[in-house]
Amino acid sequence: MRKMLNLSALFLTLNSFSQSFVSVNYTQIYSNLVFTDADGKKNDNLRADFKSAYAINYQKYFEKGLFIRAELGYKAFGAVSNFGTEKLSWDLNYIDANIGGGYMYKKYKVRPYIGASFYGAYLIRATQMIGADYYDMLKNKAIKNNDFGVNGFIGILHSVSDHTSVYLEVAKTKGLNQLETSAGQLLYNTAVSVRLGVSFLISKNENKYGFMITK
């Protein structure tokens, strides 16, 4: 009982010195696939391809610099390669959900931060192009519907007004779910991305700190 009371008091204390934001963002993704065949040989012919993502998230910042983040959005992953003289490309489109957090150094108006998140994604479209030929990977059950993994990110945030901030973020994504449906073969998503976003203050508890507010 005492532990529950202590945890409740800690939560109320943190919450009394917090601010909540809603953010919208656009991400440029440098995406690739990691494929290993049934003999255990990695395919080194796969090359990264440029994709994009859009998302909205909720962020809660605490007085000590810690923050939590929940996000929902759309993202595209994929890769390119060659089969003889034919170009091969993969286009994987996901509905993506993230939850995570991190730490922001809030001493200056431009504030660096670092964090990590766990993601779960549901595949809504998956196509492979071999030259001019189109192949529906989902219809043919050539890839799994679900993916999950981790993101590590660093960024900078700048408050442009008492209610609005902009941020730039770089992230590394590592898929942890094996996506191949063929026995013995392994396929994983991987990506590096650059994100530009805008955050809008939606709630500020009454306190003297104003730690995310431009003075």
Side-chain angles (χ1 to χ4, degrees), residues 9 13 18 22 33 39-40 76 78 91 94 106 115 133 139 151 160 179-181 184 191 195 197 200 209:
T13 300
S18 66
V22 166
L33 295 167
D39 296 324
D91 187 28
Y94 290 94
K106 57 186 179 59
D133 295 329
K139 182 179 180 180
N151 304 297
V160 296
L179 303 176
E180 261 290 348
T181 56
R195 165 179 288 187
F200 305 96
Y209 294 98

Side-chain angles (χ1 to χ4, degrees), residues 2-172:
R2 182 183 294 273
K3 288 183 178 179
M4 291 182 63
L5 290 174
N6 290 338
L7 288 173
S8 298
L10 177 61
F11 175 79
L12 291 173
T13 300
L14 288 173
N15 211 43
S16 65
F17 303 120
S18 66
Q19 291 174 327
S20 299
F21 288 76
V22 166
S23 170
V24 292
N25 57 70
Y26 166 78
T27 304
Q28 184 69 60
I29 302 173
Y30 193 57
S31 170
N32 207 344
L33 295 167
V34 179
F35 175 75
T36 304
D37 65 21
D39 296 324
K41 184 178 179 181
K42 183 178 176 182
N43 187 340
D44 294 324
N45 294 320
L46 289 169
R47 304 187 304 276
D49 196 11
F50 284 103
K51 302 291 183 179
S52 58
Y54 309 87
I56 182 169
N57 66 45
Y58 169 81
Q59 301 171 85
K60 194 176 190 69
Y61 293 87
F62 301 100
E63 191 267 334
K64 295 298 183 181
L66 297 175
F67 66 88
I68 56 175
R69 174 195 290 180
E71 180 174 279
L72 181 65
Y74 157 87
K75 70 181 181 185
F77 278 174
V80 293
S81 186
N82 292 92
F83 182 72
T85 59
E86 300 283 359
K87 179 182 177 181
L88 277 67
S89 64
W90 291 263
D91 187 28
L92 310 178
N93 297 263
Y94 290 94
I95 297 297
D96 184 58
N98 282 259
I99 187 166
Y103 173 78
M104 175 177 289
Y105 186 70
K106 57 186 179 59
K107 184 176 181 180
Y108 305 108
K109 190 174 181 180
V110 176
R111 293 158 181 164
Y113 62 90
I114 187 170
S117 65
F118 177 84
Y119 78 83
Y122 182 75
L123 189 62
I124 56 174
R125 188 169 70 93
T127 60
Q128 182 184 39
M129 296 294 295
I130 305 174
D133 295 329
Y134 167 91
Y135 179 69
D136 189 330
M137 299 176 71
L138 271 181
K139 182 179 180 180
N140 291 280
K141 298 182 179 180
I143 191 170
K144 294 180 180 177
N145 294 77
N146 299 306
D147 187 29
F148 59 83
V150 292
N151 304 297
F153 56 86
I154 58 172
I156 54 172
L157 180 144
H158 175 61
S159 297
V160 296
S161 75
D162 285 353
H163 298 87
T164 308
S165 299
V166 295
Y167 62 93
L168 180 68
E169 186 175 299
V170 178
K172 171 68 175 179

